Amino acid sequence: MIINHPLLGPRDAAEFVYLGDASLIERPDGFGENAEDAMYDYVYLRDNPAGQHRELWYHEQGDRSWLVVTRNTLTHEITAIELARDVARSKGRSR
Amino acid sequence: MRYNALKILKEGLTGNKGWTPVWREPDPKPEYDIVIVGGGGHGLATAYYLSNKFGMTNIAVVEKGWIGSGNVGRNTTLIRANYLLEGNQPFYELSLKLWEGLEQDFNYNAMVSQRGILNLYHSDAQRDAYARRGNAMHLTGSGGALLDEVQIREKCPYLDFDNARFPIKGALWQPRGGTVRHDAVAWGFARGADQKGVDILQNCEVTGFQIENGVCRGVETSRGAIRARKVAVCVAGSSGRVMSLAGMRLPIESHVLQAFVSEGLKPILPSVITFGAGHFYVSQSDKGGLVFGGDIDGYNTYAQRGNLPVVEDVCEGGMAILPMIGRARLLRMWGGVMDMSMDGSPFIDRTHIDGLYFNGGWCYGGFKATPASGFCYAHLLSKDAPHPVATRLRLDRFRRGAPIDEKGAGPQPNLH
């Protein structure tokens, strides 16, 4: 697979480390209400869809940026690539 | 029809015209006691043990494609019981015992070959870890021995013992491990279940569950609705997809594992061999092909094919211990979709929906577990209590802080 890095252009997926579902950006508040349930869902449960999947890739052998890649899990076709930083900020995070 | 030597002789002399189909192709009945979703190795084994050992015969196995079209026909056919942890090892020992008696039990030639499995080690630390694992194996009576370099040189003189980076120092040897003809396992279980009256419904895809007031009462399929007192899902690889129809999220991701076969060669490998410093395992099929594999690709996928970086990695692992395979040509390669769980261990459990049961999360170790998985699932379905060796394979174990993490890699499915 080739991942078209927003800053560096097309790079071989072998340069990246895969983490998992992009929902991992949205870590729940460990002291909030129902923190135990929310943290269990966050750490252990996954949607694991057959089709469009937003996922986190880390460019370890490159510029060490985190990317949110939208990829089809049935065809491996990549349709969108964003910097994870931009995604986190758009959700109101400071970084 | 029971198979025996006399029958083969008679059919051989009369033109092989007396053989009948190995299982029926019935139409779905409107209702069963148990509907098993998934006609793979585990689903068919469950049907077999329910009908032959637990006295339940009003059962259907529904399968989207044809039976055995998924991972039971895609794996690298290894059997072994060389785990470390208490939640796993007694279960895999039961599986190995069932393999040992399987062919007599279901009267079908599954070509069970206990040729042994050799896990190579390359350092002092790894020797100590394997000694510990060997002790854990002895606790369940699974056998095993720690071999030194001299003993392995006698068995397999062609290994790269003096590799500069990963010299071979010894191995953990389990003589009871080996290989089995994987397709025959599916066919043998299917035949054994069919003979007791189990309906095997092929080309019958489950499209939904009938859940009424928190109780599962049946399934919707491409061949109509089927009512059931219990629905037993057994679709490892597609668990995320199927259980989402019941509104469940699972501690599982789907990943692809690739496997490879070389051209046919003269007999060279006496046993299964695994590389200790990377991920590579190899055995030789009875046709002569070297059957080998390694790591999963590492990203979520339901596509039954992988990518080239892993092909390179697996072949490098092979070259590191068996330089001679560099001359062999690769004949075929393929991929299968694995349920990778959060701790690398499986689930055999009921769900929070009454009447809905779940078996999955086999990671890439499902084949060796086939008979025990079926036996323990059948036990759970018929008695509504887990089998003693499967009491820890529960869906809520992460919430209770009781994962069964052989590798200690944490909740990261692609690292198990």
Side-chain angles (χ1 to χ4, degrees), chain B residues 328-397:
Chain B
R329 276 164 294 199
L330 197 60
L331 189 64
R332 288 184 292 131
M333 53 191 265
W334 64 94
V337 181
M338 313 286 127
D339 272 12
M340 295 303 295
S341 69
M342 286 288 166
D343 58 359
S345 295
F347 308 95
I348 302 176
D349 202 359
R350 56 170 81 89
T351 67
H352 69 282
I353 300 165
D354 277 347
L356 182 61
Y357 295 75
F358 178 72
N359 174 326
W362 292 98
C363 299
Y364 42 83
F367 178 69
K368 76 178 88 66
T370 305
S373 167
F375 195 88
C376 293
Y377 206 21
H379 186 284
L380 175 69
L381 288 163
S382 62
K383 298 183 192 297
D384 257 318
H387 187 279
V389 301
T391 50
R392 298 187 190 207
L393 307 178
R394 310 297 290 273
L395 273 168
D396 68 348
R397 63 175 182 257

Side-chain angles (χ1 to χ4, degrees), chain B residues 23-26 44 60-61 67 190-191 193-194 198-202:
Chain B
W23 55 81
R24 298 166 294 129
E25 293 200 20
L44 295 166
V61 178
I67 59 166
R191 171 173 169 269
D194 178 85
V198 172
D199 284 355
I200 295 168
L201 308 171
Q202 304 185 83

Side-chain angles (χ1 to χ4, degrees), chain B residues 58 186 223 245 273:
Chain B
N58 187 19
R223 292 173 71 179
L245 299 173
I273 300 175

Side-chain angles (χ1 to χ4, degrees), chain B residues 224-248:
Chain B
I226 304 174
R227 301 289 276 184
R229 291 201 297 112
K230 291 175 180 172
V231 175
V233 176
C234 200
V235 293
S238 299
S239 293
R241 240 167 164 172
V242 172
M243 295 311 279
S244 73
L245 299 173
M248 280 182 70

